[in-house]
Amino acid sequence: MLFTDCKLWNSTNSGESIADLWSQYKQLAPEAKLYLFDLAGYGNTPLRVQRGDVYLIAGWSDKIFNVLSAVEDGMDAVDMINKIQL
């Protein structure tokens, strides 16, 4: 889980991006999932969320645990959100 405003940059000047680092980590843990919590709403996306292992979640609520549980169980997150009416 990464809680961020999604304005990420590399201050080490190594040229690596969060996408590069995520790809490296996936080699170690191929089943891993990354949940990005966008807490600011600037509209930035630091990774391609269409990959199926990266999820971009806008905002925060205690109900998010229900959504995460549904995603982990293979359910559709939108259906879960509609059920719990965030």
Side-chain angles (χ1 to χ4, degrees):
M1 292 183 185
L2 180 62
F3 298 87
T4 179
D5 64 357
C6 289
K7 288 189 169 187
L8 303 172
W9 71 91
N10 183 342
S11 61
T12 65
N13 295 321
S14 68
E16 289 183 311
S17 67
I18 188 74
D20 296 331
L21 296 171
W22 178 242
S23 293
Q24 291 174 27
Y25 184 76
K26 286 292 286 188
Q27 291 177 5
L28 298 172
E31 299 300 316
K33 295 177 184 151
L34 178 60
Y35 295 97
L36 295 167
F37 291 88
D38 181 358
L39 301 178
Y42 294 119
N44 300 334
T45 306
L47 287 169
R48 291 191 57 218
V49 295
Q50 297 88 359
R51 292 176 42 149
D53 60 354
V54 177
Y55 301 87
L56 180 62
I57 302 166
W60 178 258
S61 165
D62 63 333
K63 301 289 185 183
I64 197 64
F65 295 110
N66 295 340
V67 175
L68 293 178
S69 178
V71 169
E72 288 294 319
D73 289 340
M75 297 172 58
D76 185 270
V78 174
D79 289 341
M80 177 54 82
I81 290 169
N82 288 332
K83 285 181 186 176
I84 60 176
Q85 298 178 9
L86 292 174

